[in-house]
């Protein structure tokens, strides 16, 4: 597949923050909203799969790449306003979101009547927000003192990202391993790449979003958009019950579970997504493309 040409643009969100995006393709507009520990360029392969039918917008969520910083009062509403600014500039009524980005897209569909079709890959909607608030306090302390590796370990367990074998490893060893991994990534990263260390502070906002939307399933009965709800059999176990509930409450929902796919299967493979695969991206993108092109 030929690599799509990306152009850059910027919009201004309601609070004055600049939100930057990449743009590629031709046809009706679609906005792709990335997840945690990702940036706009995390879905370039996905975008390429849509470019013959759609103009694809890839915004950087706050704190990353082309976009401005988080503010102290950052909330789900802020994220929806950022997305709304991009949707308005693009003239888009379709959006795809992943993980925390998927949660934002879903909340946007509840609030913004302009969204007619949304596709979500493992949206980060859970039943109970209390565990998120508990780990966030420790994470914030570790980031504040500059211990990024410790913060990463805290968030890994807080967000239930850790595979079972890591749960028996001493925390100090995990912190040491994480620091070594980040240092290696920085040595090998191409110029301009957004690294793990740079993305780590953005995890605070992800925890805030997940905690704020936790237990709000019934609110989504008001979503009028058509929804394609996607996930993987090897995705995050903590998010699978939420998909089952969303399938029941969303008025216009179709659900697909990909056998063997993981939480990062829609995202470009790379140092931040080592188990990703281009084939998986293309399979997810094909389903989303078919959904967005249906009459």
């Amino acid at each position: 597949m030929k690599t799509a040409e990306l152009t850059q643009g910027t919009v201004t969100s309601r609070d004055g923050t600049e939100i930057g995006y990449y743009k590629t393709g031709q046809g009706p507009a679609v906005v792709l909203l990335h997840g945690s520990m990702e940036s706009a360029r995390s879905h370039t392969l996905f975008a390429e799969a849509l470019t013959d039918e759609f103009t694809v917008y890839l915004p950087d969520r706050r704190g990353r790449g082309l976009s401005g910083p988080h503010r102290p009062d950052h909330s789900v509403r802020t994220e929806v306003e950022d997305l709304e600014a991009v949707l308005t500039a693009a003239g888009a009524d379709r959006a795809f979101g992943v993980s925390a980005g998927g949660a934002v897209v879903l909340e946007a569909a509840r609030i913004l009547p302009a969204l007619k079709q949304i596709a979500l890959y493992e949206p980060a909607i859970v039943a109970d927000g209390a565990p998120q608030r508990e780990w966030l306090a420790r994470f914030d302390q570790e980031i504040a003192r500059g211990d990024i590796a410790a913060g990463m370990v805290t968030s890994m367990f807080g967000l239930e990202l850790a595979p079972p074998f890591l749960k028996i490893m001493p925390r100090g060893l995990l912190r040491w391993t994480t620091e070594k991994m980040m240092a290696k990534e920085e040595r090998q990263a191409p110029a301009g790449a957004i690294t793990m260390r740079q993305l780590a502070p953005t995890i605070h906002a992800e925890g805030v979003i997940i905690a704020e939307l936790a237990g709000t399933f019934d609110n989504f009965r008001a979503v009028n958009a058509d929804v394609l709800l996607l996930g993987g059999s090897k995705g995050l176990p903590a998010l699978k019950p939420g998909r089952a509930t969303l399938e029941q409450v969303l008025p216009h929902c179709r659900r697909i579970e990909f056998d063997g796919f993981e939480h990062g299967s829609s995202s470009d493979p790379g140092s931040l997504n080592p188990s990703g695969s281009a084939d998986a991206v293309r399979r997810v993108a094909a389903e989303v493309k078919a959904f967005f092109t249906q009459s």
Side-chain angles (χ1 to χ4, degrees), residues 94-238:
R94 301 173 177 92
F96 169 76
V98 179
S99 193
V104 172
V105 169
L106 181 58
E107 178 67 0
R110 186 182 71 84
I111 297 171
L112 306 176
L115 275 173
K116 304 302 183 186
Q117 289 181 301
I118 62 170
L120 313 171
Y121 191 87
E122 300 215 345
I125 309 286
V126 298
D128 184 8
Q132 306 300 323
R133 299 182 184 94
E134 290 171 3
W135 70 260
L136 270 174
R138 178 171 182 168
F139 172 84
D140 289 343
Q141 292 171 357
E142 290 164 338
I143 295 297
R145 67 172 184 258
D147 195 344
I148 303 296
M152 291 287 288
V153 173
T154 294
S155 66
M156 179 177 64
F157 286 109
L159 292 169
E160 299 186 55
L161 303 174
F165 75 91
L166 287 183
K167 296 179 181 179
I168 62 173
M169 290 179 64
R171 185 181 178 90
L173 179 58
L174 286 174
R175 181 194 169 283
W176 179 85
T177 303
T178 302
E179 180 59 47
K180 293 296 183 185
M181 185 179 4
M182 290 193 296
K184 180 180 179 180
E185 181 200 26
E186 288 168 330
R187 289 194 303 270
Q188 298 177 348
I194 300 177
T195 64
M196 231 184 301
R197 197 182 302 275
Q198 292 171 312
L199 286 171
T202 67
I203 295 174
H204 170 88
E206 309 301 89
V208 168
I209 291 166
I210 296 169
E212 189 176 344
L213 288 177
T216 63
F217 293 104
D218 278 347
N219 291 352
F220 300 119
R221 296 183 188 278
V223 172
N224 289 319
D226 289 329
V227 181
L228 179 63
L229 185 59
L230 307 166
S233 65
K234 294 184 178 179
L236 295 185

Side-chain angles (χ1 to χ4, degrees), residues 56-89:
V56 183
Y57 288 74
L58 298 154
D60 269 318
R61 291 171 57 213
R62 293 195 186 205
R64 304 159 174 88
L66 303 176
S67 294
H70 295 100
R71 297 192 177 191
D73 61 348
H74 189 83
S75 67
V76 174
R77 182 70 211 192
T78 313
E79 297 264 358
V80 170
E81 289 172 354
D82 293 350
L83 175 58
E84 183 180 18
V86 179
L87 291 168
T88 300

